[in-house]
Amino acid sequence: MPLAGGMLLAALFIGGACGRESGKERALDFESYEWSKITAGADADSLALAIDGYSGRWQCSGRGVLPVNLGGKDVSVLRDTLAQLAGIEIGKKGEVAMRIPSEMRPLENANDTLPARSRLVKNLSLNLLTPDVAVFRIYSYSYSEGAAHGVYANTYLNYDLAQGNVVTFADLFGITHDDAILAAIADHLDEAGVERFDFNDADDDAADASSARRLPLPTTFCITDTGVDFMYGIYTIAPYAAGEPRVSFNAYELADWLTPAGRRLLGVETTE
């Protein structure tokens, strides 16, 4: 299983350059990795007896970047969280290996010349880096031999560089604005013409049921250089053909709902 590790990016931010946290400096270092492995499905032998020409093998691969130093903060928990999301294991000496899913089994002496009709991809990338936040994107793709199509997902992890913690939905908006934010998301989806599932309960009164606006909280979100993007996974609120519905907001559109931490992370000046 080929592995590659090395410094991919090293940066030094001076907060005053962006008008925030003047005089503070943060060293930010990352390392890259890459892996590839052939595995077999746990039920490959039984399926091979039932399906003519079934190989049962998976071509698994992944590449990405992991934080080494983020402004002197302890990044061990962050690295472990990213590793879990990216489907990898980090050894004591920093070596990276695939975390084999329970539905697969390793193949001894397997190499890339073996035919593999199923595919699993797990990529981890740095999506955004500002003086205040680092945003990581985990892209997953899976195709099982014989299936009509593959399944993919994008997951984002937003990391507060100043506080040294993962940013949650509640960190940005508190716990009192869910309904307002979901209504705004529904408006954007309507404007984009996204035909979504009706999440109203059958027992709702006529006024609520006719609006057909009730939605679950977004599957994932990412801070952008202009605001926040909210995303839903495939099949979460709409059919597969709709893909992953994404709703983008500029920071000023969300200003009334942001917590003090949210204002800092999005660069929104406080009105107080």
Side-chain angles (χ1 to χ4, degrees):
M1 178 167 58
L3 301 174
M7 299 314 298
L8 178 70
L9 171 66
L12 182 65
F13 274 116
I14 300 176
C18 292
R20 283 180 268 169
E21 300 191 72
S22 179
K24 293 186 179 180
E25 298 181 353
R26 298 196 187 100
L28 309 171
D29 302 302
F30 301 84
E31 63 183 357
S32 63
Y33 69 86
E34 185 172 7
W35 57 264
S36 179
K37 188 173 182 63
I38 301 291
T39 67
D43 56 354
D45 294 337
S46 59
L47 287 174
L49 295 175
I51 303 175
D52 185 40
Y54 184 79
S55 75
R57 286 185 287 271
W58 287 72
Q59 170 64 62
C60 305
S61 63
R63 61 174 58 185
V65 294
L66 285 167
V68 176
N69 176 30
L70 294 181
K73 301 290 185 181
D74 181 1
V75 296
S76 58
V77 174
L78 175 62
R79 282 172 64 89
D80 290 344
T81 302
L82 289 171
Q84 182 69 34
L85 292 172
I88 58 175
E89 295 179 340
I90 306 173
K92 293 182 179 179
K93 296 182 179 180
E95 66 275 15
V96 173
M98 173 190 177
R99 188 188 302 272
I100 299 177
S102 59
E103 65 272 16
M104 297 181 187
R105 56 183 170 84
L107 289 176
E108 298 298 331
N109 303 317
N111 58 64
D112 289 338
T113 64
L114 287 173
R117 299 191 182 94
S118 297
R119 192 177 180 203
L120 174 68
V121 177
K122 289 269 192 176
N123 291 336
L124 169 63
S125 59
L126 183 64
N127 201 64
L128 177 71
L129 185 60
T130 77
D132 294 293
V133 66
V135 181
F136 297 89
R137 171 179 173 255
I138 301 92
Y139 170 76
S140 303
Y141 174 79
S142 176
Y143 173 76
S144 181
E145 183 177 349
H149 55 71
V151 177
Y152 63 93
N154 286 283
T155 302
Y156 292 90
L157 187 148
N158 305 267
Y159 185 78
D160 187 333
L161 292 170
Q163 298 300 315
N165 61 263
V166 174
V167 181
T168 67
F169 190 92
D171 289 333
L172 287 182
F173 304 107
I175 57 175
T176 59
H177 300 301
D178 287 4
D179 289 344
I181 294 171
L182 290 176
I185 290 174
D187 282 339
H188 279 60
L189 291 171
D190 290 342
E191 292 171 4
V194 176
E195 295 185 9
R196 61 187 189 275
F197 304 137
D198 186 350
F199 289 93
N200 286 289
D201 297 328
D203 294 335
D204 284 346
D205 57 47
D208 289 338
S210 64
S211 65
R213 297 171 60 83
R214 185 170 299 162
L215 289 170
L217 287 174
T219 307
T220 188
F221 72 90
C222 67
I223 296 173
T224 70
D225 55 356
T226 59
V228 177
D229 283 4
F230 300 105
M231 290 180 62
Y232 290 94
I234 56 175
Y235 294 123
T236 304
I237 65 168
Y240 181 86
E244 294 179 312
R246 178 188 290 259
V247 177
S248 300
F249 286 89
N250 290 313
Y252 68 83
E253 297 178 272
L254 302 169
D256 290 343
W257 304 320
L258 292 171
T259 64
R263 287 178 171 273
R264 172 177 57 82
L265 292 169
L266 298 188
V268 176
E269 294 185 1
T270 180
T271 56
E272 297 181 359

